Amino acid sequence: MKAYGKMSKEELLALQAELQARYDKLKGEGIQLDMSRGKPGTDQLDLSAPMLDVLNSKSAFKGVNNIDVRNYGLMDGIDEAKELFAELMECPKDHVMVYGNSSLSVMYDLISKAMVHGICGSTPWCKLDKVKFLCPVPGYDRHFAITESFGIEMISIPIDENGPDMDLVEQYVNNDPAVKGIWNIPKYSNPTGVVYSDEVVRRFAGLRPAADDFRIYWDNAYAVHHVYMEDKAQILNIADECEKAGNPHMYYELCSTSKITFPGAGVAALITSPENIADIKKTVTIQTIGYDKVNQLRHVMFFKNAAGVNAHMEKHAAILRPKFDAVLDCLEKELGGLEIGSWIKPRGGYFIAFETLEGCAKRVVALCREAGVVMTPAGSTYPYKRDDADTSIRIAPTCPTPKELTKACAVFVLCVKLASVEKYLTKMA
Ligand SMILES: Cc1ncc(COP(=O)(O)O)c(C=O)c1O
């Protein structure tokens, strides 16, 4: 079939009638499917169920330093958990602080405390007239929700297959002292799947911020979440690069085992300079007497080391691959060559980002919903949920089965076609 943009009005009208008939028929099928949730499927959760057996009432509950993990204390984490994260994220152990179950809550805390107390002795943000954050788009809605909730002005930065537009990032960060941070998901980004190139990471590390308390919020949530094991992405280590560039305190790297073991019952960690950790500890010691060390020990006993985690991630990948393939095959087969949408084939992570023609994303999502397929609301991957071009749709293929995905994707591509025909016909009217 030829590209929609090259069709005459008559051809488009005929196509619209055909697509509408197919859509009406689909609507009558009572479909109920969901491609909106970026969660592991039950079969993935089952992979970690044996972790619940590594500790029981007869266990010793003792860490390497003879610490009883059931008791208060060690609020920056047990030694062996620090070691596991240090090996996994390739950084020194004294750069790791192990938290509770959620890296997102660590990020919330970092922003909240910067607001109220300031970072390493600098003016608390709440005392400043203006605080700004850079937000590569499309990005993670919950990052944007954090900065929005504190009244921080968010500036969208376009992203391409190598990462954010670094000319723009440098221009803002190096010249405007109100710019205090930038959200990043450097590997298998949510939702684009983009992997930051070496040049982009080096340019991040080489920033010369106008603000002393500027930090790169490096949310490496998908560091080991490959989907295609033969095509694993490798990115430069932000800690090493910042150190080399003379900016050893400029980054906060976050990660967690949420999508390795159990979302909501995993372990999160922060990687940053020992000086930053000392600053953070000043307030965290007021907040808690210690995170869940029993769960930290359980994770260490289950995985033993980074090799154990990586072997476990191969099992996740084996479950996820057919799901990603089902969606990607459908997109290619049904939309390839029509010039009504584009997507980047992700090599890992949890999402596929789809770009419609301008002004079509909301319509596609609405059509899908009417036909029984729930998608993430269009625009939600932008600050203030404002995707002015109305092109961005996030597909989350991990929860449904491959069979359900094939069906859901058939509905999705039909809705893309229908919305695109409508768009061209409106332009011709
Ligand atoms: C980029 C990113 N960061 C953080 C999270 C949440 O992580 P956690 O469960 O550790 O709070 C998610 C979850 O989808 C995510 O996609």
Side-chain angles (χ1 to χ4, degrees), residues 128-262:
L128 302 175
D129 289 340
K130 183 122 274 357
V131 176
K132 300 178 191 168
F133 243 70
L134 305 185
C135 302
V137 288
Y140 181 35
D141 53 348
R142 291 179 188 274
H143 285 163
F144 305 154
I146 293 175
T147 26
E148 184 174 6
S149 75
F150 286 102
I152 293 170
E153 182 183 320
M154 294 183 283
I155 299 163
S156 293
I157 304 287
I159 194 167
D160 68 14
E161 65 273 19
N162 294 310
D165 177 339
M166 291 310 292
D167 289 342
L168 211 49
V169 170
E170 285 165 355
Q171 195 183 308
Y172 277 114
V173 175
N174 296 355
N175 296 301
D176 186 351
V179 173
K180 301 294 190 188
I182 176 166
W183 293 117
N184 283 290
I185 309 156
K187 192 164 171 184
Y188 308 138
S189 192
N190 174 356
T192 54
V194 161
V195 176
Y196 285 15
S197 69
D198 291 355
E199 193 204 333
V200 163
V201 179
R202 284 199 189 101
R203 285 179 74 175
F204 264 112
L207 287 169
R208 293 286 171 253
D212 286 345
D213 52 352
F214 169 86
R215 294 289 183 274
I216 300 167
Y217 294 75
W218 200 252
D219 182 2
N220 213 344
Y222 299 103
V224 291
H225 302 58
H226 321 285
V227 172
Y228 299 94
M229 299 312 277
E230 69 290 354
D231 193 19
K232 285 184 197 170
Q234 185 78 33
I235 58 167
L236 286 182
N237 187 316
I238 191 67
D240 290 349
E241 294 306 315
C242 280
E243 203 126 329
K244 276 193 240 164
N247 278 324
H249 313 304
M250 195 173 59
Y251 69 94
Y252 291 139
E253 181 174 18
L254 290 313
C255 62
S256 79
T257 67
S258 287
K259 287 170 181 171
I260 297 175
T261 55
F262 302 131

